[in-house]
């Protein structure tokens, strides 16, 4: 769903969601790599981009009310800052629909998501997010795709907030800085999924549970286009989770 449509259909459902805590200096770089975890939870996501015959440009989605303001200052692999939560690593592969789904090296990939309580850095002091976090930058980062078309980040498992399913925002640019796609990554939601396991556990401060959660099918952003946007997740609450996902752009 594009931004203008989101604003018509879904913006009001976000009003009133509350706040979050501060963070570290996000301008330092980090060499922390996503850790390999094992566990009992698996959730299979989209197969889009797996071959030249299965290669549809991933749906565009709104950047939302909280896009990263100066992404070039956040060249980070470890985007946790001072946020605590269930360990979570994710790897995104970027492929080019105009080259039979060949991997796209040298692309700029910006990511951002909320913390375990559903709050974003860089914003606050408004009806959208009452607590003020305008001067901090947690859970935001930028990487450049390698020769495999991949970027990886170390984070914490995202929380959720009113009107939205669990998600990660992604903005992809070519090497010259031209915007190629703004999209989002959704999460599997089966009864044994990571979303359910994390929110049912109260581990590491996830206290909201699933009561009031908006599932993908009812999410104003995802409801019309989730098929190419679900990531694949493995791991457990105790060991942490890994997400992998392929995004197809037109470059």
């Amino acid at each position: 769903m594009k931004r203008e449509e989101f604003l018509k259909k879904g913006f009001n459902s976000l009003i009133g969601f509350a706040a979050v805590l501060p963070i570290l200096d996000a301008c330092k770089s980090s060499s922390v790599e996503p850790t390999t975890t094992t566990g009992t939870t698996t959730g299979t996501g989209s197969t889009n981009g797996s071959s030249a015959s299965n290669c549809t440009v991933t749906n565009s989605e709104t950047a939302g009310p909280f896009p990263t303001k100066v992404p070039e200052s956040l060249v980070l692999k470890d985007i946790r800052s001072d946020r605590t939560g269930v360990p979570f690593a994710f790897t995104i592969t970027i492929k080019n629909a105009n080259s039979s789904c060949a991997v796209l090296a040298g692309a700029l990939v910006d990511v951002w998501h909320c913390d375990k309580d559903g709050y974003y850095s860089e914003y606050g002091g408004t009806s959208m997010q009452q607590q003020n976090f305008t001067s901090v930058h947690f859970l935001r980062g930028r990487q450049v795709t390698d020769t495999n078309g991949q970027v990886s980040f170390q984070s914490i498992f995202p929380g959720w907030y009113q009107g939205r399913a669990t998600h990660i925002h992604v903005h992809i640019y070519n090497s010259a800085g031209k915007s190629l796609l703004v999209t989002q990554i959704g999460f599997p939601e089966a009864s044994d999924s990571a979303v359910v396991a994390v929110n049912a556990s109260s581990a590491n401060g996830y206290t909201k549970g699933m009561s009031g959660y908006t599932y993908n099918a009812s999410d104003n952003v995802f409801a019309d286009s989730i098929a190419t946007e679900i990531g694949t997740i493995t791991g457990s609450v105790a060991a942490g989770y890994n997400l992998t996902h392929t995004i197809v752009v037109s470059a």
Side-chain angles (χ1 to χ4, degrees):
M1 178 181 293
K2 301 240 174 128
R3 181 174 179 82
E4 58 271 19
E5 190 176 352
F6 167 74
L7 292 172
K8 289 177 183 176
K9 296 175 64 177
F11 190 83
N12 289 334
S13 68
L14 297 175
I15 292 176
F17 95 75
V20 62
L21 295 157
I23 138 191
L24 273 162
D25 174 16
C27 294
K28 61 178 176 123
S29 63
S30 170
S31 61
V32 175
E33 296 288 347
T35 55
T36 300
T37 61
T38 57
T40 57
T41 297
T42 60
T44 302
S46 169
T47 60
N48 186 44
S50 59
S51 68
S53 60
N54 184 11
C55 187
T56 302
V57 173
T58 301
N59 292 89
S60 174
E61 302 291 9
T62 176
F66 308 113
T68 301
K69 294 179 178 179
V70 189
E72 58 268 29
S73 70
L74 297 173
V75 180
L76 299 166
K77 288 193 175 191
D78 186 340
I79 63 174
R80 291 172 294 183
S81 187
D82 67 344
R83 297 298 89 182
T84 59
V86 171
F88 178 65
F90 59 102
T91 297
I92 303 170
T93 302
I94 308 300
K95 294 190 174 183
N96 185 4
N98 293 339
S99 297
S100 300
C101 254
V103 298
L104 183 62
L108 302 170
V109 181
D110 297 331
V111 300
W112 65 99
H113 66 79
C114 69
D115 73 355
K116 63 181 175 59
D117 299 308
Y119 308 128
Y120 287 90
S121 62
E122 299 193 353
Y123 294 84
T126 69
S127 60
M128 291 293 294
Q129 183 169 291
Q130 294 173 358
Q131 210 162 334
N132 193 332
F133 290 93
T134 55
S135 62
V136 291
H137 312 278
F138 55 80
L139 306 180
R140 298 177 185 273
R142 165 175 283 194
Q143 285 292 295
V144 179
T145 55
D146 61 17
T147 55
N148 296 312
Q150 293 184 336
V151 292
S152 295
F153 297 91
Q154 185 71 38
S155 191
I156 56 119
F157 198 89
W160 59 272
Y161 48 92
Q162 183 181 357
R164 288 304 319 273
T166 304
H167 63 281
I168 299 170
H169 294 268
V170 186
H171 192 164
I172 302 155
Y173 306 80
N174 69 12
S175 58
K178 177 184 176 182
S179 179
L180 298 177
L181 182 70
V182 180
T183 190
Q184 298 182 25
I185 302 173
F187 287 54
E189 296 172 332
S191 60
D192 63 346
S193 67
V195 167
V196 172
V198 169
N199 287 293
S201 70
S202 297
N204 301 82
Y206 292 80
T207 59
K208 295 169 76 172
M210 295 295 288
S211 177
Y213 181 84
T214 300
Y215 286 88
N216 292 325
S218 299
D219 185 295
N220 281 323
V221 172
F222 284 143
D224 62 347
S225 57
I226 194 64
T228 64
E229 296 169 301
I230 294 288
T232 294
I233 297 181
T234 60
S236 69
V237 171
Y241 289 97
N242 283 284
L243 177 147
T244 57
H245 184 57
T246 296
I247 296 175
V248 181
V249 300
S250 177

